[in-house]
Amino acid sequence: MLFRKKIERSCLYCAYGTKLDEDTVLCTKRGVVFADRKCRKFSYDPTKRVPPKPKAPDFTQYSEDDFSL
Protein backbone atom coordinates (compact mmCIF):
# COMPACT_ATOMS: atom_id res chain seq x y z
CA MET A 1 0.00 0.00 0.00
CA LEU A 2 1.18 3.46 -0.78
CA PHE A 3 -0.17 5.32 2.25
CA ARG A 4 0.22 2.84 5.11
CA LYS A 5 0.71 4.10 8.65
CA LYS A 6 3.81 1.95 9.19
CA ILE A 7 6.30 2.43 6.38
CA GLU A 8 9.64 0.63 6.51
CA ARG A 9 12.33 3.28 6.70
CA SER A 10 14.54 3.46 3.66
CA CYS A 11 16.53 6.33 2.20
CA LEU A 12 14.98 5.41 -1.14
CA TYR A 13 11.58 6.76 0.05
CA CYS A 14 12.88 9.70 2.10
CA ALA A 15 12.06 13.32 1.30
CA TYR A 16 15.74 14.23 1.73
CA GLY A 17 17.04 11.61 -0.71
CA THR A 18 17.49 11.57 -4.46
CA LYS A 19 18.04 8.27 -6.24
CA LEU A 20 21.38 8.10 -8.05
CA ASP A 21 21.23 4.51 -9.27
CA GLU A 22 19.77 1.19 -8.08
CA ASP A 23 21.95 0.95 -4.96
CA THR A 24 22.79 4.52 -3.92
CA VAL A 25 20.90 7.63 -2.83
CA LEU A 26 22.14 11.20 -2.50
CA CYS A 27 20.91 12.48 0.87
CA THR A 28 20.94 16.19 1.71
CA LYS A 29 21.66 15.30 5.35
CA ARG A 30 24.16 12.40 5.05
CA GLY A 31 25.63 12.56 1.53
CA VAL A 32 25.86 9.48 -0.69
CA VAL A 33 24.39 6.45 1.12
CA PHE A 34 23.06 3.00 0.29
CA ALA A 35 19.36 2.85 -0.67
CA ASP A 36 18.40 0.50 2.16
CA ARG A 37 20.01 2.69 4.85
CA LYS A 38 17.84 4.47 7.41
CA CYS A 39 18.41 7.33 9.85
CA ARG A 40 16.58 9.51 12.38
CA LYS A 41 15.97 12.26 9.80
CA PHE A 42 13.71 9.96 7.73
CA SER A 43 10.66 11.75 6.35
CA TYR A 44 8.41 9.60 4.13
CA ASP A 45 7.64 10.97 0.67
CA PRO A 46 4.87 8.88 -0.99
CA THR A 47 5.66 10.27 -4.45
CA LYS A 48 9.01 8.45 -4.48
CA ARG A 49 7.49 5.00 -4.06
CA VAL A 50 6.81 3.16 -7.31
CA PRO A 51 3.86 0.78 -6.89
CA PRO A 52 4.25 -2.76 -8.22
CA LYS A 53 2.73 -3.58 -11.59
CA PRO A 54 -0.71 -5.16 -11.38
CA LYS A 55 -0.92 -8.84 -12.11
CA ALA A 56 -2.21 -9.68 -15.59
CA PRO A 57 -5.74 -11.11 -15.59
CA ASP A 58 -6.11 -14.83 -16.21
CA PHE A 59 -8.49 -15.43 -19.11
CA THR A 60 -7.88 -19.16 -19.40
CA GLN A 61 -11.02 -19.92 -17.39
CA TYR A 62 -13.22 -18.39 -20.13
CA SER A 63 -14.13 -19.90 -23.48
CA GLU A 64 -14.61 -18.24 -26.89
CA ASP A 65 -18.38 -18.28 -26.33
CA ASP A 66 -18.00 -15.99 -23.34
CA PHE A 67 -16.57 -13.29 -25.62
CA SER A 68 -19.05 -13.52 -28.47
CA LEU A 69 -22.38 -11.75 -28.85
Side-chain angles (χ1 to χ4, degrees):
M1 289 184 158
L2 226 71
F3 299 104
R4 293 185 305 218
K5 295 270 185 199
K6 288 222 168 198
I7 298 294
E8 64 277 356
R9 291 179 171 218
S10 172
C11 287
L12 196 56
Y13 309 127
C14 183
Y16 299 113
T18 304
K19 185 176 177 181
L20 292 177
D21 59 21
E22 294 297 319
D23 297 330
T24 56
V25 174
L26 178 62
C27 178
T28 58
K29 303 289 183 182
R30 307 286 180 191
V32 178
V33 295
F34 287 110
D36 59 349
R37 187 175 186 272
K38 49 194 164 198
C39 70
R40 292 186 298 162
K41 294 288 186 180
F42 178 78
S43 176
Y44 180 61
D45 184 4
T47 60
K48 292 190 179 181
R49 182 172 284 239
V50 178
K53 287 188 174 187
K55 195 167 84 170
D58 182 24
F59 294 115
T60 58
Q61 61 186 353
Y62 301 109
S63 66
E64 286 292 322
D65 296 333
D66 294 330
F67 294 104
S68 64
L69 295 175

